[in-house]
Amino acid sequence: MEIVIGTYEGPVISYGVNLDKGMVLEAQFVEKSHSGCVKSIACNNRYLASGSSDESIRLLDLHKRVELGALMQHNGTVTCLTFQGSHLLSGSEDGTICVYQSGSWECKKTLKGHTAAVCQLSVHPSGVLALSVSRDKTLKTWSLITGKPVHTVNLTSLPDDVIWNTDGSTYAILLEKSIKVFQPHSGKPVRTYTSDRRIVCCKFLSSTLLAYGGESKTISIVEIESNKCQTITGHNARIKALDFVRSDVKDHYILISVSSDGEVKIWALSRDKYDQIGGTTLFNHRPVCMCVYTGEKQFVKQLSTPAPVLKHQELPKKRKTPIKRRVLFANLHAIQGGKTIKRKLKHKKTSRVIPLHFDR
Protein backbone atom coordinates (compact mmCIF):
# COMPACT_ATOMS: atom_id res chain seq x y z
CA MET A 1 0.00 0.00 0.00
CA GLU A 2 1.22 3.49 -0.88
CA ILE A 3 -0.07 6.86 0.31
CA VAL A 4 0.36 9.51 -2.41
CA ILE A 5 0.03 13.16 -1.40
CA GLY A 6 -0.24 16.28 -3.55
CA THR A 7 1.22 19.43 -1.99
CA TYR A 8 0.74 23.18 -2.18
CA GLU A 9 4.36 23.66 -3.24
CA GLY A 10 3.96 21.35 -6.27
CA PRO A 11 5.69 18.01 -5.53
CA VAL A 12 3.75 14.75 -5.42
CA ILE A 13 5.12 12.60 -2.58
CA SER A 14 4.58 8.86 -2.12
CA TYR A 15 5.03 6.84 1.07
CA GLY A 16 4.98 3.06 1.12
CA VAL A 17 3.61 1.16 4.10
CA ASN A 18 6.03 -1.50 5.29
CA LEU A 19 3.79 -4.15 6.87
CA ASP A 20 6.78 -6.23 8.00
CA LYS A 21 7.89 -3.37 10.27
CA GLY A 22 4.41 -2.65 11.62
CA MET A 23 2.84 0.09 9.45
CA VAL A 24 6.08 2.05 9.11
CA LEU A 25 5.92 4.62 6.29
CA GLU A 26 8.92 4.77 3.96
CA ALA A 27 9.41 7.36 1.19
CA GLN A 28 8.96 5.87 -2.31
CA PHE A 29 9.28 8.80 -4.72
CA VAL A 30 8.92 12.56 -5.11
CA GLU A 31 7.62 13.80 -8.45
CA LYS A 32 8.27 17.48 -9.24
CA SER A 33 6.90 18.03 -12.74
CA HIS A 34 4.12 20.47 -11.73
CA SER A 35 4.88 24.19 -11.70
CA GLY A 36 1.89 25.04 -9.49
CA CYS A 37 -0.12 23.79 -6.54
CA VAL A 38 -1.42 20.21 -6.86
CA LYS A 39 -5.20 20.50 -6.47
CA SER A 40 -6.33 16.92 -7.17
CA ILE A 41 -4.93 13.41 -7.33
CA ALA A 42 -6.29 9.97 -8.23
CA CYS A 43 -5.02 6.47 -9.01
CA ASN A 44 -6.29 3.11 -10.20
CA ASN A 45 -4.60 -0.29 -10.36
CA ARG A 46 -1.81 1.04 -12.58
CA TYR A 47 -1.80 4.78 -13.22
CA LEU A 48 -1.47 7.88 -11.06
CA ALA A 49 -2.89 11.22 -12.22
CA SER A 50 -2.34 14.61 -10.57
CA GLY A 51 -4.01 17.89 -11.51
CA SER A 52 -2.57 21.31 -10.80
CA SER A 53 -3.09 25.04 -10.98
CA ASP A 54 -0.65 24.95 -13.93
CA GLU A 55 -3.64 23.61 -15.95
CA SER A 56 -2.02 20.21 -16.61
CA ILE A 57 -2.64 16.60 -15.62
CA ARG A 58 0.58 14.66 -15.03
CA LEU A 59 0.54 10.88 -15.50
CA LEU A 60 2.73 8.20 -13.94
CA ASP A 61 2.87 4.44 -14.50
CA LEU A 62 3.06 3.01 -10.98
CA HIS A 63 4.03 -0.45 -12.26
CA LYS A 64 7.08 0.75 -14.21
CA ARG A 65 7.67 3.85 -12.04
CA VAL A 66 8.00 6.13 -15.06
CA GLU A 67 6.37 9.42 -16.01
CA LEU A 68 4.12 9.19 -19.07
CA GLY A 69 3.64 12.87 -19.83
CA ALA A 70 0.94 15.50 -19.40
CA LEU A 71 -2.63 16.11 -20.56
CA MET A 72 -3.31 19.75 -21.51
CA GLN A 73 -7.01 19.61 -22.41
CA HIS A 74 -8.20 22.17 -19.85
CA ASN A 75 -7.86 25.96 -19.86
CA GLY A 76 -7.93 26.37 -16.09
CA THR A 77 -6.88 24.75 -12.83
CA VAL A 78 -7.64 21.02 -12.73
CA THR A 79 -9.86 20.82 -9.64
CA CYS A 80 -10.87 17.14 -9.56
CA LEU A 81 -9.85 13.74 -10.93
CA THR A 82 -11.33 10.27 -10.72
CA PHE A 83 -10.69 6.91 -12.39
CA GLN A 84 -13.66 4.78 -13.43
CA GLY A 85 -12.92 1.43 -15.07
CA SER A 86 -10.64 2.08 -18.03
CA HIS A 87 -11.29 5.82 -18.09
CA LEU A 88 -10.07 8.96 -16.32
CA LEU A 89 -12.41 11.90 -15.69
CA SER A 90 -11.22 15.42 -14.90
CA GLY A 91 -12.97 18.65 -13.94
CA SER A 92 -11.59 22.16 -14.22
CA GLU A 93 -12.13 25.82 -13.45
CA ASP A 94 -12.98 26.27 -17.14
CA GLY A 95 -16.34 24.58 -16.38
CA THR A 96 -15.76 21.42 -18.45
CA ILE A 97 -15.35 17.73 -17.62
CA CYS A 98 -13.10 15.60 -19.83
CA VAL A 99 -13.20 11.81 -20.25
CA TYR A 100 -9.93 10.13 -21.28
CA GLN A 101 -9.19 6.57 -22.36
CA SER A 102 -6.57 5.10 -20.02
CA GLY A 103 -3.46 3.99 -21.87
CA SER A 104 -3.88 5.93 -25.10
CA TRP A 105 -5.01 9.00 -23.09
CA GLU A 106 -7.22 10.18 -25.93
CA CYS A 107 -9.97 12.61 -24.85
CA LYS A 108 -13.15 10.71 -25.72
CA LYS A 109 -15.69 13.26 -24.53
CA THR A 110 -15.85 16.81 -23.19
CA LEU A 111 -18.89 17.41 -21.00
CA LYS A 112 -20.10 21.02 -21.17
CA GLY A 113 -22.92 22.56 -19.17
CA HIS A 114 -21.53 24.33 -16.11
CA THR A 115 -21.09 28.09 -16.35
CA ALA A 116 -18.42 28.29 -13.61
CA ALA A 117 -15.63 26.17 -12.16
CA VAL A 118 -16.31 22.47 -11.53
CA CYS A 119 -15.65 21.88 -7.82
CA GLN A 120 -15.91 18.10 -7.70
CA LEU A 121 -17.32 15.11 -9.57
CA SER A 122 -18.24 11.55 -8.64
CA VAL A 123 -19.08 8.59 -10.88
CA HIS A 124 -21.84 6.13 -9.99
CA PRO A 125 -20.49 2.61 -9.29
CA SER A 126 -22.27 1.38 -12.44
CA GLY A 127 -20.13 3.71 -14.56
CA VAL A 128 -23.20 5.04 -16.38
CA LEU A 129 -23.87 8.27 -14.51
CA ALA A 130 -21.78 11.00 -12.91
CA LEU A 131 -22.58 13.85 -10.53
CA SER A 132 -20.79 17.19 -10.56
CA VAL A 133 -21.05 20.33 -8.47
CA SER A 134 -19.92 23.76 -9.57
CA ARG A 135 -19.34 27.34 -8.44
CA ASP A 136 -22.48 28.19 -10.45
CA LYS A 137 -24.41 26.62 -7.50
CA THR A 138 -25.75 23.67 -9.49
CA LEU A 139 -25.64 19.90 -9.17
CA LYS A 140 -25.68 18.17 -12.55
CA THR A 141 -26.35 14.52 -13.35
CA TRP A 142 -24.53 13.39 -16.49
CA SER A 143 -25.14 10.43 -18.77
CA LEU A 144 -21.69 9.06 -19.56
CA ILE A 145 -23.18 7.19 -22.52
CA THR A 146 -24.31 10.33 -24.34
CA GLY A 147 -22.03 12.83 -22.63
CA LYS A 148 -24.94 15.16 -21.90
CA PRO A 149 -26.56 16.40 -18.65
CA VAL A 150 -29.85 14.68 -17.85
CA HIS A 151 -30.80 16.62 -14.71
CA THR A 152 -29.83 19.87 -13.00
CA VAL A 153 -30.56 20.96 -9.43
CA ASN A 154 -30.05 24.51 -8.18
CA LEU A 155 -28.28 24.68 -4.80
CA THR A 156 -28.78 27.34 -2.16
CA SER A 157 -25.07 27.78 -1.36
CA LEU A 158 -21.67 27.08 -2.89
CA PRO A 159 -20.84 23.34 -2.87
CA ASP A 160 -17.39 21.94 -2.12
CA ASP A 161 -17.78 18.22 -2.81
CA VAL A 162 -20.15 15.49 -4.01
CA ILE A 163 -19.67 11.74 -3.52
CA TRP A 164 -21.62 8.55 -4.20
CA ASN A 165 -21.63 5.87 -1.55
CA THR A 166 -20.08 2.50 -2.35
CA ASP A 167 -23.23 0.89 -3.83
CA GLY A 168 -24.74 3.97 -5.47
CA SER A 169 -27.89 4.04 -3.34
CA THR A 170 -27.17 7.48 -1.84
CA TYR A 171 -24.92 10.47 -2.45
CA ALA A 172 -23.69 13.32 -0.27
CA ILE A 173 -23.11 17.01 -0.97
CA LEU A 174 -20.64 19.00 1.12
CA LEU A 175 -21.70 22.63 1.67
CA GLU A 176 -19.05 24.40 3.79
CA LYS A 177 -20.28 23.57 7.34
CA SER A 178 -22.81 20.84 6.50
CA ILE A 179 -23.13 17.54 4.65
CA LYS A 180 -26.48 16.57 3.15
CA VAL A 181 -27.17 12.94 2.22
CA PHE A 182 -29.69 12.31 -0.56
CA GLN A 183 -31.32 9.33 -2.21
CA PRO A 184 -31.32 9.61 -6.02
CA HIS A 185 -35.06 10.26 -6.32
CA SER A 186 -35.49 12.35 -3.20
CA GLY A 187 -35.63 16.10 -3.44
CA LYS A 188 -34.96 16.47 0.28
CA PRO A 189 -31.95 15.17 2.26
CA VAL A 190 -32.50 12.02 4.30
CA ARG A 191 -29.70 13.07 6.68
CA THR A 192 -27.94 16.36 7.43
CA TYR A 193 -24.73 16.63 9.44
CA THR A 194 -23.47 20.02 10.59
CA SER A 195 -20.34 21.37 12.25
CA ASP A 196 -19.40 24.61 13.99
CA ARG A 197 -16.27 24.77 11.82
CA ARG A 198 -15.80 24.35 8.08
CA ILE A 199 -15.84 20.74 6.79
CA VAL A 200 -13.04 20.22 4.28
CA CYS A 201 -13.34 16.59 3.19
CA CYS A 202 -15.69 13.60 3.35
CA LYS A 203 -15.55 9.96 2.30
CA PHE A 204 -17.99 7.04 2.22
CA LEU A 205 -16.36 3.96 3.78
CA SER A 206 -19.38 1.78 2.96
CA SER A 207 -22.95 2.21 1.81
CA THR A 208 -23.98 3.55 5.24
CA LEU A 209 -20.72 4.70 6.87
CA LEU A 210 -19.56 8.28 6.23
CA ALA A 211 -16.34 9.92 7.44
CA TYR A 212 -15.66 13.65 7.38
CA GLY A 213 -13.21 16.14 8.86
CA GLY A 214 -12.08 19.75 8.61
CA GLU A 215 -11.18 22.75 10.70
CA SER A 216 -12.46 21.11 13.89
CA LYS A 217 -9.24 18.97 13.78
CA THR A 218 -11.32 15.83 14.42
CA ILE A 219 -12.68 13.06 12.19
CA SER A 220 -16.34 12.12 12.56
CA ILE A 221 -17.56 8.65 11.56
CA VAL A 222 -21.36 8.53 11.24
CA GLU A 223 -23.64 5.55 10.65
CA ILE A 224 -26.36 6.92 8.39
CA GLU A 225 -29.06 4.38 9.23
CA SER A 226 -28.71 4.49 13.03
CA ASN A 227 -27.32 8.05 13.12
CA LYS A 228 -24.58 6.97 15.55
CA CYS A 229 -21.38 9.03 15.54
CA GLN A 230 -17.80 8.20 16.50
CA THR A 231 -15.20 10.97 16.84
CA ILE A 232 -11.49 10.43 16.16
CA THR A 233 -9.04 12.85 17.77
CA GLY A 234 -5.29 13.13 17.31
CA HIS A 235 -4.61 15.84 14.71
CA ASN A 236 -3.45 19.32 15.71
CA ALA A 237 -4.51 21.09 12.52
CA ARG A 238 -7.40 20.98 10.05
CA ILE A 239 -8.01 17.72 8.21
CA LYS A 240 -7.24 18.13 4.49
CA ALA A 241 -7.97 14.67 3.05
CA LEU A 242 -9.30 11.22 3.94
CA ASP A 243 -9.01 7.84 2.25
CA PHE A 244 -9.39 4.23 3.32
CA VAL A 245 -8.66 0.59 2.58
CA ARG A 246 -11.06 -2.22 3.44
CA SER A 247 -9.81 -4.82 5.89
CA ASP A 248 -10.25 -8.57 5.51
CA VAL A 249 -12.34 -8.46 8.69
CA LYS A 250 -15.97 -7.42 8.24
CA ASP A 251 -16.79 -3.84 9.31
CA HIS A 252 -13.11 -3.05 9.86
CA TYR A 253 -11.24 -0.41 7.86
CA ILE A 254 -7.80 1.16 7.58
CA LEU A 255 -8.43 4.92 7.51
CA ILE A 256 -5.74 7.36 6.36
CA SER A 257 -5.93 11.05 7.24
CA VAL A 258 -3.65 13.99 6.47
CA SER A 259 -3.73 17.43 8.07
CA SER A 260 -2.48 20.84 6.95
CA ASP A 261 0.56 20.69 9.28
CA GLY A 262 1.90 17.67 7.35
CA GLU A 263 0.81 14.95 9.76
CA VAL A 264 -0.16 11.67 8.09
CA LYS A 265 -1.94 9.18 10.35
CA ILE A 266 -3.15 5.61 9.80
CA TRP A 267 -6.08 4.37 11.90
CA ALA A 268 -7.48 0.90 12.51
CA LEU A 269 -11.21 1.55 12.56
CA SER A 270 -14.17 -0.59 13.58
CA ARG A 271 -17.78 0.20 14.43
CA ASP A 272 -17.11 1.05 18.08
CA LYS A 273 -13.40 1.90 18.44
CA TYR A 274 -10.28 3.18 16.71
CA ASP A 275 -6.51 2.99 17.18
CA GLN A 276 -3.64 4.82 15.51
CA ILE A 277 -1.35 2.20 14.01
CA GLY A 278 1.07 4.31 11.97
CA GLY A 279 1.97 7.69 10.55
CA THR A 280 4.62 10.16 9.48
CA THR A 281 5.18 13.89 9.01
CA LEU A 282 5.82 15.88 5.83
CA PHE A 283 8.45 18.55 6.42
CA ASN A 284 8.56 21.74 4.32
CA HIS A 285 5.44 20.73 2.39
CA ARG A 286 1.75 21.50 2.93
CA PRO A 287 -0.63 18.67 1.94
CA VAL A 288 -3.61 19.49 -0.28
CA CYS A 289 -4.97 16.16 -1.53
CA MET A 290 -4.33 12.43 -1.15
CA CYS A 291 -5.08 9.02 -2.64
CA VAL A 292 -4.14 5.46 -1.67
CA TYR A 293 -2.60 3.01 -4.12
CA THR A 294 -3.09 -0.58 -3.00
CA GLY A 295 -1.81 -2.46 -6.03
CA GLU A 296 -3.47 -4.53 -8.72
CA LYS A 297 -4.70 -7.43 -6.57
CA GLN A 298 -6.75 -5.29 -4.21
CA PHE A 299 -8.63 -3.44 -6.94
CA VAL A 300 -11.70 -4.64 -8.82
CA LYS A 301 -10.51 -6.45 -11.91
CA GLN A 302 -11.29 -4.60 -15.12
CA LEU A 303 -13.07 -6.32 -17.98
CA SER A 304 -10.14 -5.66 -20.28
CA THR A 305 -6.41 -5.14 -19.69
CA PRO A 306 -5.14 -1.54 -19.74
CA ALA A 307 -4.06 -0.37 -23.17
CA PRO A 308 -0.32 -0.04 -23.72
CA VAL A 309 1.22 3.43 -23.77
CA LEU A 310 1.47 4.42 -27.42
CA LYS A 311 3.90 6.74 -29.10
CA HIS A 312 2.49 9.84 -30.74
CA GLN A 313 2.74 8.46 -34.28
CA GLU A 314 1.10 5.19 -33.22
CA LEU A 315 -2.08 6.72 -31.83
CA PRO A 316 -5.13 5.04 -33.38
CA LYS A 317 -6.81 6.99 -36.17
CA LYS A 318 -10.42 8.06 -35.86
CA ARG A 319 -12.98 6.15 -37.90
CA LYS A 320 -14.11 7.94 -41.05
CA THR A 321 -17.49 6.22 -41.14
CA PRO A 322 -19.94 6.31 -38.24
CA ILE A 323 -20.38 3.13 -36.22
CA LYS A 324 -23.82 1.60 -36.45
CA ARG A 325 -24.78 0.73 -32.94
CA ARG A 326 -27.45 0.43 -30.28
CA VAL A 327 -26.98 2.59 -27.20
CA LEU A 328 -27.57 0.91 -23.86
CA PHE A 329 -29.07 3.68 -21.77
CA ALA A 330 -29.76 3.61 -18.06
CA ASN A 331 -31.04 6.29 -15.75
CA LEU A 332 -31.17 6.63 -11.98
CA HIS A 333 -34.57 4.94 -11.80
CA ALA A 334 -33.36 1.99 -13.85
CA ILE A 335 -30.23 1.59 -11.72
CA GLN A 336 -32.14 1.50 -8.45
CA GLY A 337 -34.73 -0.88 -9.88
CA GLY A 338 -32.15 -3.21 -11.36
CA LYS A 339 -33.49 -2.64 -14.89
CA THR A 340 -32.07 -1.18 -18.09
CA ILE A 341 -33.80 0.66 -20.91
CA LYS A 342 -32.75 -0.15 -24.45
CA ARG A 343 -33.08 2.56 -27.06
CA LYS A 344 -32.37 1.86 -30.71
CA LEU A 345 -31.13 4.70 -32.86
CA LYS A 346 -33.15 5.47 -35.97
CA HIS A 347 -32.04 4.46 -39.48
CA LYS A 348 -29.62 1.81 -38.22
CA LYS A 349 -30.01 -1.70 -39.57
CA THR A 350 -27.20 -3.24 -37.53
CA SER A 351 -26.26 -2.65 -33.94
CA ARG A 352 -23.77 -3.37 -31.22
CA VAL A 353 -23.81 -2.80 -27.45
CA ILE A 354 -21.61 -0.21 -25.79
CA PRO A 355 -20.53 -1.58 -22.36
CA LEU A 356 -21.37 0.52 -19.31
CA HIS A 357 -17.70 0.96 -18.42
CA PHE A 358 -16.90 2.54 -21.83
CA ASP A 359 -14.58 -0.27 -23.09
CA ARG A 360 -14.92 -0.48 -26.85
Side-chain angles (χ1 to χ4, degrees):
M1 182 175 77
E2 290 185 35
I3 301 169
V4 188
I5 300 170
T7 65
Y8 182 84
E9 292 76 15
V12 174
I13 304 172
S14 174
Y15 288 93
V17 179
N18 192 326
L19 299 178
D20 296 332
K21 296 181 180 180
M23 286 292 177
V24 175
L25 295 181
E26 299 175 344
Q28 298 296 308
F29 65 82
V30 177
E31 200 272 327
K32 299 181 178 180
S33 57
H34 284 295
S35 60
C37 170
V38 178
K39 291 287 190 178
S40 54
I41 197 165
C43 64
N44 64 358
N45 64 325
R46 180 173 179 178
Y47 300 111
L48 173 72
S50 58
S52 169
S53 58
D54 63 10
E55 304 182 359
S56 71
I57 301 172
R58 295 285 176 173
L59 303 167
L60 286 88
D61 188 325
L62 293 176
H63 287 185
K64 299 180 180 179
R65 301 288 166 166
V66 295
E67 183 180 357
L68 302 178
L71 302 176
M72 306 294 294
Q73 193 74 21
H74 290 294
N75 294 316
T77 297
V78 181
T79 55
C80 50
L81 292 166
T82 183
F83 280 96
Q84 176 65 31
S86 59
H87 285 73
L88 168 68
L89 285 80
S90 64
S92 170
E93 284 187 350
D94 62 12
T96 63
I97 298 171
C98 294
V99 182
Y100 306 91
Q101 174 72 50
S102 296
S104 66
W105 306 111
E106 179 184 0
C107 183
K108 294 291 186 179
K109 290 184 178 70
T110 299
L111 312 184
K112 298 179 180 180
H114 285 298
T115 58
V118 178
C119 300
Q120 192 57 261
L121 62 91
S122 180
V123 182
H124 191 274
S126 67
V128 177
L129 297 170
L131 296 175
S132 64
V133 289
S134 168
R135 304 294 290 180
D136 61 11
K137 293 185 180 181
T138 62
L139 165 72
K140 286 187 180 293
T141 304
W142 301 86
S143 167
L144 296 181
I145 300 298
T146 63
K148 297 180 180 179
V150 295
H151 189 58
T152 301
V153 176
N154 292 319
L155 303 174
T156 56
S157 58
L158 289 174
D160 292 317
D161 201 353
V162 61
I163 50 171
W164 285 103
N165 69 350
T166 55
D167 64 4
S169 59
T170 59
Y171 63 90
I173 301 176
L174 171 57
L175 302 163
E176 193 175 5
K177 294 182 180 181
S178 66
I179 297 176
K180 297 183 178 182
V181 181
F182 295 83
Q183 291 180 339
H185 301 291
S186 173
K188 297 181 179 180
V190 295
R191 286 283 188 272
T192 300
Y193 303 101
T194 60
S195 173
D196 295 334
R197 307 290 295 275
R198 181 172 177 263
I199 302 172
V200 178
C201 54
C202 57
K203 192 81 173 181
F204 272 108
L205 308 185
S206 69
S207 59
T208 60
L209 204 62
L210 176 66
Y212 64 89
E215 292 183 354
S216 64
K217 306 176 186 179
T218 61
I219 304 169
S220 297
I221 312 294
V222 293
E223 172 62 48
I224 294 175
E225 292 182 348
S226 63
N227 220 21
K228 294 181 179 179
C229 181
Q230 180 181 180
T231 302
I232 299 176
T233 59
H235 282 286
N236 298 315
R238 66 180 179 271
I239 312 298
K240 292 292 292 183
L242 296 170
D243 210 339
F244 77 102
V245 176
R246 292 184 182 88
S247 172
D248 294 334
V249 182
K250 185 179 179 181
D251 295 333
H252 284 68
Y253 306 90
I254 296 175
L255 180 67
I256 301 97
S257 60
V258 59
S259 56
S260 58
D261 59 357
E263 290 289 330
V264 181
K265 296 183 183 293
I266 303 176
W267 312 87
L269 178 67
S270 63
R271 294 280 181 174
D272 54 354
K273 65 178 182 178
Y274 68 90
D275 293 298
Q276 183 181 345
I277 57 176
T280 189
T281 302
L282 276 70
F283 295 102
N284 303 320
H285 292 95
R286 290 170 287 177
V288 176
C289 50
M290 174 186 63
C291 69
V292 176
Y293 170 67
T294 57
E296 185 174 7
K297 293 182 180 180
Q298 296 187 36
F299 274 82
V300 178
K301 187 177 181 181
Q302 297 181 10
L303 298 182
S304 62
T305 56
V309 180
L310 304 178
K311 297 180 181 179
H312 180 71
Q313 61 268 26
E314 296 177 342
L315 290 176
K317 297 181 180 179
K318 294 184 178 179
R319 295 176 181 268
K320 295 182 179 180
T321 57
I323 301 173
K324 297 179 178 181
R325 62 193 182 189
R326 177 187 298 167
V327 175
L328 184 62
F329 178 82
N331 58 16
L332 282 171
H333 178 72
I335 291 173
Q336 297 302 315
K339 300 178 181 179
T340 56
I341 301 172
K342 294 184 178 179
R343 182 180 65 182
K344 190 173 182 181
L345 298 179
K346 296 181 180 180
H347 311 301
K348 304 294 182 182
K349 295 183 180 180
T350 60
S351 63
R352 73 185 185 93
V353 172
I354 302 176
L356 297 181
H357 64 293
F358 301 130
D359 285 342
R360 301 183 63 170

